[in-house]
Amino acid sequence: MSIFDFLKPKKNTASVAKDRLRIIIAQERTASGGPDYLPLLRRELLEVIRKYVNVDVDAVKVDVVKDGEHDVLDISVALPEERQAAAGA
Amino acid sequence: MAEIIVVTSGKGGVGKTTTSASIACGLARHGKKVAVIDFDVGLRNLDLIMGCERRVVYDFVNVIHGEASLRQALIKDKRFDNLFVLAASQTRDKDALAKEGVEKVLKDLADDGFDYIVCDSPAGIEKGAFLAMYFADQAIVVVNPEVSSVRDSDRILGLLASKTRKAENGERVKEFLLLTRYSPQRVEQGEMLSISDVEEVLGLKTIGVIPESGDVLNASNKGEPVILDLESDAGQAYDDAVARLMGEERPMRFTQLEKKGFFSKLFGG
């Protein structure tokens, strides 16, 4: 530490670490609560969808959610914007 | 009633064995009758940290298989009459431990009047780690303020909440966070996750913060758990953690950056 420290760019990697951990741990906690087939189902769905649309790897979300007494398989697919899709195809 | 405490982490190399040895010694120093058990079958190391490696004749697996009595296998500590070590077996057979066998050993220790049984878990989430935590009343989750250690600890918390006897009976294992290799300076500089960062991410209360210290390596070199070195920050921090484990309130120490004088700030150091 010296008087010239202010010249160096401030790096706050701890807050980056905290944000990354929050996201991945939240994701893993939901995954571990659900049935074991969810990750595989998600992967296969992604493969099928990618035959038709050029979507990102994280575009497919598969969750089991509670709706009253029922468990609902909640699948959502974020489609890319028109132009991107056209460019990708 | 014996209190069973598992020292666990998921990730390897974060200080489980160092912590197990120090917690066991600390509890013994408070006059409690303590057994500390190495669950790392095939990779025995607690004996080295406790400094009793040359006195291991029988081990945990020998007791479970009925090749030795518990009394024969328990190694009495040279410093405390009320502290005993049960070494792990060096066998390569991963299935040497079984739930029923472990349960019987723990029950026999409880019947023998032990106040605390400290279970030193192996790294990972396989059988040894599972058995170390299965019968626990309390869990000390050892975490380095570093992403992979924090993430692995969260997996362990998931297992503590589902794959333990307490969980199966609809109860909860009491979980505590113990941070090791903590550097207040790096936290101040924004380079290391802080105590509250880790608490927040994992949803745990901290029972101790052990500062990064060269004394830990010196202690393991000598086979004397670092808690016995009350000159060292790490030893004192473990002593605080043990007191908190026994219900005492103590403020956290060695977690704030010591303010430097004007000259050292100016010229570095």
Side-chain angles (χ1 to χ4, degrees):
Chain A
M1 219 183 254
S2 80
I3 51 171
F4 299 112
D5 272 2
F6 71 93
L7 291 175
K8 295 181 202 155
K10 185 97 184 109
K11 48 172 181 180
N12 193 332
T13 55
S15 60
V16 179
K18 188 180 178 187
D19 291 342
R20 291 174 61 216
L21 279 169
R22 268 206 196 119
I23 293 165
I24 191 68
I25 284 178
Q27 197 180 317
E28 285 175 346
R29 280 183 188 170
T30 23
S32 70
D36 289 345
Y37 59 76
L38 282 188
L40 187 61
L41 174 64
R42 187 183 160 278
R43 255 199 312 275
E44 289 190 19
L45 276 173
L46 183 67
E47 276 170 32
V48 173
I49 292 165
R50 278 187 154 183
K51 282 185 189 167
Y52 304 94
V53 197
N54 185 27
V55 293
D56 275 341
V57 186
D58 55 0
V60 179
K61 291 201 169 56
V62 181
D63 286 314
V64 175
V65 288
K66 282 245 181 267
D67 181 21
E69 303 218 326
H70 304 282
D71 282 343
V72 176
L73 186 63
D74 184 36
I75 300 173
S76 75
V77 184
L79 290 175
E81 286 178 30
E82 289 283 323
R83 261 167 298 152
Q84 275 179 310
Chain B
M1 258 314 269
E3 195 71 9
I4 303 174
I5 303 175
V6 61
V7 177
T8 181
S9 72
K11 190 174 180 294
V14 296
K16 280 182 298 297
T17 302
T18 299
T19 298
S20 300
S22 278
I23 297 281
C25 277
L27 290 167
R29 193 157 60 191
H30 280 271
K32 301 293 178 186
K33 190 172 178 189
V34 184
V36 55
I37 307 178
D38 191 347
F39 275 77
D40 204 345
V41 170
L43 294 169
R44 172 199 292 171
N45 273 318
L46 179 67
D47 55 336
L48 267 181
I49 304 300
M50 292 292 294
C52 63
E53 69 277 8
R54 295 182 61 188
R55 293 193 290 137
V56 179
V57 182
Y58 295 111
D59 58 51
F60 195 12
V61 172
N62 291 143
V63 178
I64 285 179
H65 290 174
E67 295 148 5
S69 70
L70 188 53
R71 211 167 279 270
Q72 285 174 305
L74 284 174
I75 306 162
K76 191 176 187 173
D77 187 82
K78 291 224 158 144
R79 296 149 295 214
F80 301 100
D81 284 344
N82 47 338
L83 174 59
F84 296 84
V85 179
L86 186 52
S89 166
Q90 286 290 47
T91 173
R92 270 182 280 172
D93 176 12
K94 279 199 158 193
D95 296 323
L97 293 182
K99 209 181 201 174
E100 296 69 30
V102 173
E103 182 173 24
K104 180 158 193 315
V105 169
L106 295 176
K107 188 178 178 303
D108 289 350
L109 287 169
D111 292 345
D112 205 13
F114 278 86
D115 299 305
Y116 286 95
I117 303 167
V118 179
C119 302
D120 181 20
S121 172
I125 50 175
E126 289 184 27
K127 198 168 183 188
F130 163 73
L131 286 172
M133 73 166 68
Y134 185 76
F135 298 99
D137 300 304
Q138 304 184 28
I140 296 177
V141 183
V142 183
V143 180
N144 284 173
E146 174 271 324
V147 285
S148 51
S149 174
V150 175
R151 181 199 208 171
D152 290 357
S153 302
D154 193 68
R155 297 273 293 159
I156 289 293
L157 291 174
L159 296 178
L160 284 167
S162 60
K163 307 275 186 218
T164 52
R165 185 166 61 175
K166 284 241 176 225
E168 286 171 6
N169 293 337
E171 298 169 70
R172 275 199 76 99
V173 176
K174 248 199 252 171
E175 300 151 347
F176 303 105
L177 170 68
L178 188 125
L179 273 171
T180 54
R181 309 200 66 169
Y182 195 73
S183 165
Q185 192 187 348
R186 302 202 73 183
V187 171
E188 184 99 342
Q189 288 169 352
E191 295 178 348
M192 184 181 271
L193 292 163
S194 70
I195 303 167
S196 59
D197 286 341
V198 181
E199 280 184 337
E200 200 184 304
V201 169
L202 293 177
L204 277 186
K205 279 308 283 174
T206 307
I207 196 149
V209 179
I210 315 303
E212 171 82 69
S213 161
D215 299 325
V216 174
L217 179 59
N218 281 321
S220 70
N221 286 344
K222 291 187 288 183
E224 286 179 11
V226 71
I227 196 170
L228 300 177
D229 180 2
L230 283 174
E231 303 270 286
S232 83
D233 291 358
Q236 293 176 48
Y238 270 120
D239 190 57
D240 287 352
V242 170
R244 290 187 200 106
L245 202 60
M246 295 180 66
E248 204 179 305
E249 296 241 349
R250 286 200 189 177
M252 289 291 170
R253 293 191 282 169
F254 321 112
T255 56
Q256 300 295 322
L257 190 59
E258 281 168 43
K259 291 283 172 268
K260 281 186 176 176
F262 174 72
F263 283 99
S264 61
K265 248 185 193 163
L266 197 58
F267 299 110

